[in-house]
Amino acid sequence: MARSMCGRFSLTSPVEAMRRVFDFPERPNLAARYNIAPTTNIAAIRVDKNATGESRHYFSAHWGLIPSWAKSTEFSAKMINARSETVTEKPAFRAAFKSRRCLIPANGFYEWQKLSKGAKQPWMIGIEDMPLFAFAGLWESWKSADGEVIESCTILTTTASKSIAFIHPRMPVILEPSRFDPWLRGEAGTEVLKAFDADRMTFYKVSSRVGNVRNDDADLLKPVDPPPTQARLL
C-alpha cells in the first residue's frame, strides 16, 4: 500500500521549547515521539477568540480530518493530508481553510524513496536553522450521533523543494514563524502554501525500522550511513 505524504514525522522538543516558539500558555504533559503516525492524536496550535482578543492555544487533535458533516470517522485515515493546490475546492477542506487553521509542530518528517525492484529507503528530513518548526494544518470538530466530540486535523502538502524532490515529489507545507499569525487568522491565502527554501533543507537515510509504527525510539533518528555534508542529526 502506498504511503501518504506527509505520513510520518517526529516531535521530540520539550514542552517549554514549544511554548517559546509557538507562544501558547498551556503546559501539556507530552512525551517525545520519534515516529508519529496517522490516526493518532498529535499536538496542534490554533487561535482562539475571547473577550480580550485573540491568542494562540495548544490542543490535541486526531490526525486525519473528519469533516463536520461526515456520518462516521471511517475515512479519517485517508484525510491526513490536503493538497494545497485544491484545498479551496474540496468539500472536505474548504470550510476549514476559511476558518479553522492550525500549526502542527515538528522536528522533522520521514519520506520513503522508491528504489529498484520495489524497495524503499526511508529518509529523515528537517530544516538546518529551524530544529523546531510548523506544518500548515487545518482542523475540524466532529460530533457523533451519541454526542462524542472529536477534534481532528490534516497537514497541507505541496510540490517538494528541489533538494529533496529525488526522495519524493511532494512535501508538507512548512511555515516561517513570521507567517504563523497570518496563517492562523486567515489573512494568508494559498500563496504561502509553497515549497520550503531548498537550501535550508537537511536530509539523511534512516533505518527501515521507522516503517513499523510500533517502533518509537531515538534510534530512528540515527543515520544508517554517513550523512551528506548538508545533513545533520536533528
Side-chain angles (χ1 to χ4, degrees), residues 75 84 89 102 109 119-120 122 168 170 197 201 209 219 224:
F75 299 106
S84 59
E89 305 166 9
C102 62
F109 62 95
K120 292 184 178 181
H168 196 281
R170 295 189 66 78
D197 183 354
M201 304 300 295
R209 291 181 60 244
D219 284 347
V224 295

Side-chain angles (χ1 to χ4, degrees), residues 131-205:
L132 175 60
F133 54 87
F135 302 135
L138 307 175
W139 68 274
E140 276 284 7
S141 181
W142 178 84
K143 190 174 183 179
S144 69
D146 60 4
E148 179 188 13
V149 175
I150 299 177
E151 291 191 320
S152 62
C153 66
T154 189
I155 295 173
L156 286 152
T157 66
T158 189
T159 302
S161 297
K162 61 182 180 181
S163 59
I164 61 171
F166 74 96
I167 301 173
H168 196 281
R170 295 189 66 78
M171 67 177 291
V173 173
I174 298 171
L175 296 174
E176 294 281 6
S178 62
R179 288 177 169 169
F180 287 176
D181 282 333
W183 172 252
L184 290 173
R185 293 172 179 164
E187 298 165 359
T190 56
E191 74 280 355
V192 304
L193 306 180
K194 306 298 182 184
F196 199 78
D197 183 354
D199 293 335
R200 295 164 63 190
M201 304 300 295
T202 67
F203 46 94
Y204 57 87
K205 297 175 183 178

Side-chain angles (χ1 to χ4, degrees), residues 5-175:
M5 175 71 222
C6 160
R8 300 283 179 83
F9 65 98
S10 67
L11 179 60
T12 60
S13 292
V15 170
E16 286 308 307
M18 292 174 58
R19 293 179 72 237
R20 287 193 297 271
V21 172
F22 299 107
D23 191 26
F24 57 82
E26 294 81 10
R27 288 181 167 83
N29 183 17
L30 301 177
R33 298 179 68 183
Y34 302 91
N35 192 11
I36 299 174
T39 72
T40 62
N41 278 11
I42 63 175
I45 294 98
R46 64 189 172 198
V47 164
D48 289 339
K49 297 180 180 180
N50 52 49
T52 59
E54 296 181 341
S55 56
R56 298 182 197 170
H57 287 276
Y58 165 90
F59 71 110
S60 178
H62 173 89
W63 184 15
L65 197 79
I66 308 169
S68 60
W69 42 260
K71 294 182 178 179
S72 72
T73 63
E74 180 181 359
F75 299 106
S76 170
K78 297 180 181 180
M79 308 285 276
I80 66 169
N81 295 152
R83 292 178 66 93
S84 59
E85 297 88 347
T86 58
V87 69
T88 61
E89 305 166 9
K90 297 294 184 181
F93 304 123
R94 61 191 180 197
F97 180 79
K98 290 180 179 179
S99 58
R100 287 179 292 278
R101 300 180 181 185
C102 62
L103 303 174
I104 298 175
N107 295 114
F109 62 95
Y110 299 100
E111 191 45 71
W112 280 254
Q113 177 189 18
K114 292 182 179 180
L115 304 176
S116 60
K117 298 181 180 178
K120 292 184 178 181
Q121 172 62 57
W123 293 71
M124 163 54 73
I125 302 169
I127 303 174
E128 178 64 34
D129 57 341
M130 287 201 308
L132 175 60
F133 54 87
F135 302 135
L138 307 175
W139 68 274
E140 276 284 7
S141 181
W142 178 84
K143 190 174 183 179
S144 69
D146 60 4
E148 179 188 13
V149 175
I150 299 177
E151 291 191 320
S152 62
C153 66
T154 189
I155 295 173
L156 286 152
T157 66
T158 189
T159 302
S161 297
K162 61 182 180 181
S163 59
I164 61 171
F166 74 96
I167 301 173
H168 196 281
R170 295 189 66 78
M171 67 177 291
V173 173
I174 298 171
L175 296 174

